[in-house]
Every structure is written in C-alpha cells, then in structure tokens.
Amino acid sequence: MDWHLLGLSFITVFLSELGDKSQLAAIALSGRCQSPRAVFFGTATALLLTSFLGAVSGGVVAELLPTHLLKAIAAVGFAILALRLLFFDNEASE
C-alpha cells in the first residue's frame, strides 16, 4: 500500500468536499429527519461508491491512454472550464 498516495488522496477529497453541494444536502436532510445516523450512512455509502467508480474508471483510462496525453486532456479541460467561468458566467449572474 502506498501510504503517501493514500494520504494525498484523502486530503484532496476531504478538502474538496468541504462545503460541497453533497455536504449541504446532508446537512439539510439530517436537519429534517429523526435519524441523522441513516443520513450519515447513506451519504457515506454514496461517497464511497462514487469514489470507487472514479478510481476504477481512472485506472481503466490510464491503461488505455499514455500518461502525458491524459494530463494534457485534463489540463485543456480545466483551462476551458476556467475560461468559461471567467468570461462566460456573467450571463448567469444577471
């Protein structure tokens, strides 16, 4: 087991999930329900499943594509998202 990779992925997902829509939905659900334990297990299971699917699909894609091409695709995708947020998101706020 690569403990460094485990810690890095934990910290990355933990920090990215703080204040996320799924966390806000869990807060709203647990505030309306009588069983916050059920909300916890439901949301934890959903996060585990989505993380598992992401890891498996990432492993499959990494087997099919070279690493440098995969990094280039990710960089271009993030750049497009950044440009869209910077220049084309004004319509949604108006």
Side-chain angles (χ1 to χ4, degrees), residues 9-69:
S9 60
F10 173 81
I11 290 169
T12 302
V13 171
F14 181 78
L15 291 177
S16 67
E17 290 297 321
L18 285 177
D20 192 18
K21 292 181 290 187
S22 58
Q23 186 181 25
L24 297 176
I27 291 169
L29 280 172
S30 64
R32 291 190 318 202
C33 298
Q34 298 297 324
S35 178
R37 187 179 309 161
V39 174
F40 169 75
F41 285 120
T43 56
T45 304
L47 183 59
L48 283 171
L49 180 62
T50 57
S51 298
F52 174 74
L53 292 174
V56 169
S57 63
V60 169
V61 169
E63 291 286 326
L64 298 175
L65 298 175
T67 305
H68 66 280
L69 180 61

